Amino acid sequence: MRIFPKTMMRAALAAMLLLAVAAAKADVVVVVSADSPVDSLTAAQVGDIFLGRTSSFPSGGEVLPIDQAEGSAAREAFYNAVIGRSQAQMRAYWSQQIFTGRGQPPRAVSNVAELRQVIGANPSVLSYVASSDVDDSLKVVYTP
């Protein structure tokens, strides 16, 4: 059996992508403000919030999901690990939701510093960051 260079290159790229996604999955955590009364959430609860299926925490308080910038490693890792969809699949999902009038995607921030400001100003915010970006202002409520 003869293996062509393009086939080997594709296989190597696919393997690197899988390793990067696996590493990113372990690196992302779901967070709220350190002042939030929410202490933990399940994957299903986080998924329902980020898919627009619910607008409140399980305890009944309002929740405001915030995305990181499209194309960011944390965003890709979050949606792969928690929702089980790629960013392209999420764009398609939200296009359908918008078209049918069933919802709008979460607002996105451009970087982690902006996210910290938004979370600090509103204890109802739920988002995700790389575990290395967690500081005293953030409380981890779910780890994939």
Side-chain angles (χ1 to χ4, degrees):
M1 176 177 189
R2 183 175 174 189
I3 298 178
F4 296 99
K6 284 185 180 180
T7 303
M8 288 182 1
M9 183 180 285
R10 285 183 187 141
L13 287 173
M16 286 189 300
L17 182 61
L18 287 173
L19 288 173
V21 168
K25 280 183 184 179
D27 191 41
V28 70
V29 293
V30 178
V31 295
V32 294
S33 167
D35 298 329
S36 173
V38 177
D39 289 322
S40 68
L41 295 170
T42 66
Q45 291 166 332
V46 172
D48 285 347
I49 291 166
F50 275 89
L51 291 171
R53 295 179 183 151
T54 186
S55 59
S56 60
F57 284 113
S59 61
E62 177 190 15
V63 63
L64 178 63
I66 300 289
D67 267 329
Q68 289 210 29
E70 192 163 339
S72 71
R75 184 168 171 159
E76 185 70 35
F78 170 77
Y79 280 103
N80 279 316
V82 178
I83 311 295
R85 297 181 186 184
S86 69
Q87 288 189 58
Q89 289 170 317
M90 288 307 300
R91 280 190 299 276
Y93 172 82
W94 282 114
S95 292
Q96 181 185 30
Q97 296 301 302
I98 293 166
F99 180 75
T100 59
R102 288 186 265 175
Q104 293 289 320
R107 178 182 142 211
V109 294
S110 58
N111 56 50
V112 174
E114 182 182 357
L115 179 62
R116 281 196 183 99
Q117 289 177 341
V118 171
I119 288 176
N122 187 346
S124 296
V125 170
L126 178 71
S127 193
Y128 51 87
V129 295
S131 59
S132 60
D133 289 327
V134 174
D135 64 11
D136 292 341
S137 70
L138 304 173
K139 182 190 321 181
V140 175
V141 293
Y142 178 73
T143 303

